[in-house]
């Protein structure tokens, strides 16, 4: 399929792009900064520069796509929810979707990111895709976003209501992690609220599965079948990194830090992936302990992992000589580290080679 992706430089966008290329799909991305995107996306794609937040993109009108995966949208957790921030969140979703609809010819399928926040704070209620929307700001934003996406010309419309996406490469888990690494983590509020989550691998596999499964249409709860209470999530996270979690976060402290967004942080959503399971989708990570061990387990032994990916249209035989020359290590190391080689074994890098170097730890 020829697929258009918005939000391709984000956490999910980068991984879904790699997955779709491996499956043989032809990808095009639309981005506000083509140069920056070329450095960030780890997969081959045609890049079209343009800002869907400001208006339709003329170049897209001349192209034919089989499907669209719309993942763009301002991060809901990127700051306090002032009225200005709320308008920014809304415009980045609603206006962008309107301009997307005006930019493309009819397609077979549109997959759009939404969120489990669609349901609002629902306590102990078990939520399926047929459950009603909540009444708070985020719930109404998700509802309006999905309604606008339904107007994009397509045969099938899928609204992926993602829970907390667990990944070692960023996202919500990265924001949660710092206090736990400092042994200052703990449950949020009472800890009794239900948390809906999904491992990044399952999120990507679910999108690929939906592309191929004609029976899927409408809302999709993109979450693990094992929803957990916040206190259980807290315990699993602490065990994964080998730290205690004994400092609860009071509701008042959240309100002071996040404003209205604090109500979303402590909302209880006991959702189930009813439609994915009915269609035969198999989750790789069904338990929270397994998912967190996979994403964070390396921290328990003191290891740090940095992943940086970039796609280059060259065969590995052409690239390998560059990476096997120790002198080039400084060129691929962030300048802020001031990486300098002081001594290196003779010849190309290979097993057993020794490199002495200096850098700034900051």
């Amino acid at each position: 399929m020829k697929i258009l992706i918005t939000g391709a430089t984000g956490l999910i966008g980068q991984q879904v792009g790699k997955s779709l290329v491996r499956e043989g799909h032809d990808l095009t991305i639309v981005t506000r900064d083509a140069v920056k995107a070329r450095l960030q996306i780890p997969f081959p794609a045609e890049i079209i520069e343009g800002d869907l937040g400001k208006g339709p993109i003329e170049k897209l009108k001349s192209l034919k796509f089989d499907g669209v995966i719309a993942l763009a949208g301002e991060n809901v957790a990127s700051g306090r929810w002032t009225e200005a921030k709320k308008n920014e969140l809304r415009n980045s979703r609603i206006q962008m979707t309107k301009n997307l609809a005006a930019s493309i010819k009819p397609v077979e399928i549109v997959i759009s990111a939404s969120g489990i926040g669609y349901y609002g704070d629902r306590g102990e209620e078990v939520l399926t895709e047929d459950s009603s929307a909540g009444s708070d700001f985020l719930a109404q934003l998700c509802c309006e976003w999905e309604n606008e996406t339904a107007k994009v010309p397509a045969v099938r419309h899928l609204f992926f209501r993602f829970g907390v996406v667990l990944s070692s490469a960023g996202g919500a888990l990265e924001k949660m992690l710092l206090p736990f690494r400092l042994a200052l983590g703990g449950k949020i509020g009472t800890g009794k609220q239900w948390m809906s989550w999904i491992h990044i691998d399952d999120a990507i596999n679910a999108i690929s599965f939906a592309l191929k499964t004609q029976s899927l249409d409408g809302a999709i709860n993109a979450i693990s079948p094992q929803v957990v209470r916040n206190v259980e999530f807290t315990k699993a996270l602490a065990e994964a990194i080998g730290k205690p979690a004994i400092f609860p976060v009071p509701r008042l402290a959240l309100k002071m830090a996040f404003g209205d967004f604090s109500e979303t942080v402590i909302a209880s959503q006991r959702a189930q992936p009813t439609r994915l399971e009915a269609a035969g989708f198999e989750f790789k990570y069904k338990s929270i302990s397994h998912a967190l061990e996979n994403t964070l387990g390396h921290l328990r032994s003191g290891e740090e992992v940095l992943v940086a990916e970039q796609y280059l249209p060259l065969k590995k035989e052409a690239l390998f000589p560059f990476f096997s020359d120790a002198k080039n290590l400084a060129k691929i190391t962030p300048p802020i580290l001031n990486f300098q080689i002081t001594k290196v074994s003779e010849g190309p890098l290979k097993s057993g080679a020794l490199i002495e170097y200096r850098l700034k730890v900051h």
Side-chain angles (χ1 to χ4, degrees):
M1 295 176 68
K2 187 172 178 59
I3 300 173
L4 174 68
I5 303 179
T6 68
T9 59
L11 176 66
I12 295 177
Q14 291 192 40
Q15 300 306 313
V16 79
K18 288 197 300 182
S19 175
L20 294 176
V21 165
R22 292 190 191 107
E23 294 177 7
H25 298 290
D26 182 12
L27 305 185
T28 299
I29 73 166
V30 59
T31 178
R32 288 175 293 186
D33 189 334
V35 174
K36 185 177 179 180
R38 178 61 70 192
L39 294 174
Q40 289 181 316
I41 60 168
F43 54 86
E46 179 182 357
I47 298 179
I48 294 177
E49 189 170 73
D51 189 349
L52 284 170
K54 295 182 178 179
I57 297 176
E58 290 299 318
K59 187 172 181 179
L60 290 177
K61 295 180 180 180
S62 63
L63 303 176
K64 173 63 178 174
F65 299 102
D66 300 305
V68 173
I69 299 178
L71 302 170
E74 179 69 19
N75 187 349
V76 297
S78 61
R80 287 178 62 88
W81 278 9
T82 61
E83 287 307 310
K85 182 64 175 180
K86 288 180 179 179
N87 287 333
E88 185 180 350
L89 292 173
R90 185 180 179 279
N91 290 337
S92 73
R93 288 160 170 76
I94 309 306
Q95 193 58 50
M96 187 176 291
T97 303
K98 288 181 178 179
N99 292 332
L100 174 64
S103 299
I104 63 171
K105 300 173 181 177
V107 296
E108 288 294 317
I109 182 172
V110 170
I111 293 178
S112 173
S114 184
I116 214 70
Y118 174 95
Y119 302 109
D121 187 359
R122 304 293 277 268
E124 297 296 310
E125 181 182 355
V126 177
L127 304 167
T128 71
E129 290 87 350
D130 294 321
S131 298
S132 61
S135 58
D136 60 37
F137 168 75
L138 183 58
Q140 290 303 300
L141 176 61
C142 289
C143 187
E144 189 175 358
W145 192 12
E146 291 182 12
N147 289 339
E148 202 61 51
T149 302
K151 299 175 185 177
V152 178
V155 177
R156 281 198 294 150
H157 297 83
L158 292 170
F159 318 115
F160 267 63
R161 295 172 183 167
F162 290 107
V164 176
V165 179
L166 304 182
S167 168
S168 59
L173 191 57
E174 183 179 56
K175 297 179 183 298
M176 299 177 193
L177 198 53
L178 180 58
F180 283 89
R181 298 193 67 176
L182 297 174
L184 297 174
K187 65 182 181 180
I188 297 177
T190 65
K192 294 181 179 179
Q193 66 271 27
W194 292 98
M195 290 183 64
S196 296
W197 59 273
I198 187 169
H199 189 284
I200 183 69
D201 290 353
D202 284 327
I204 301 311
N205 291 339
I207 291 174
S208 178
F209 178 82
L211 276 173
K212 298 174 286 191
T213 307
Q214 295 295 321
S215 62
L216 283 174
D217 201 2
I220 301 290
N221 284 344
I223 53 175
S224 165
Q226 189 211 47
V227 60
V228 295
R229 295 188 187 275
N230 174 260
V231 68
E232 297 174 90
F233 181 92
T234 298
K235 180 181 178 182
L237 195 161
E239 289 178 349
I241 65 174
K243 296 285 187 178
I246 57 176
F247 294 95
V249 182
R251 188 169 187 148
L252 180 59
L254 285 173
K255 182 69 174 179
M256 293 174 63
F258 299 109
D260 290 347
F261 179 59
S262 63
E263 298 303 315
T264 296
V265 174
I266 60 175
S268 179
Q269 288 135 358
R270 191 180 183 181
Q272 289 296 310
T274 309
R275 290 182 179 167
L276 277 176
E277 290 191 309
F281 179 73
E282 289 287 336
F283 286 87
K284 182 179 179 180
Y285 296 93
K286 295 182 179 180
S287 76
I288 190 63
S289 58
H290 185 200
L292 288 173
E293 177 65 28
N294 174 264
T295 52
L296 302 176
H298 60 277
L299 296 176
R300 192 167 55 249
S301 59
E303 294 179 359
E304 298 289 343
V305 176
L306 170 66
V307 177
E309 298 176 283
Q310 180 183 354
Y311 173 79
L312 295 171
L314 298 167
K315 294 185 179 295
K316 63 182 180 181
E317 291 79 12
L319 286 171
F320 189 76
F322 176 88
F323 289 98
S324 65
D325 186 340
K327 295 192 298 294
N328 290 326
L329 284 172
K331 296 180 180 178
I332 61 173
T333 303
I336 192 174
L337 294 179
N338 196 27
F339 182 92
Q340 296 177 352
I341 291 178
T342 58
K343 185 179 179 181
V344 64
S345 301
E346 292 294 326
L349 290 179
K350 59 183 179 180
S351 179
L354 294 176
I355 301 170
E356 294 181 9
Y357 61 90
R358 301 176 65 181
L359 54 75
K360 291 182 178 179
V361 178
H362 294 274

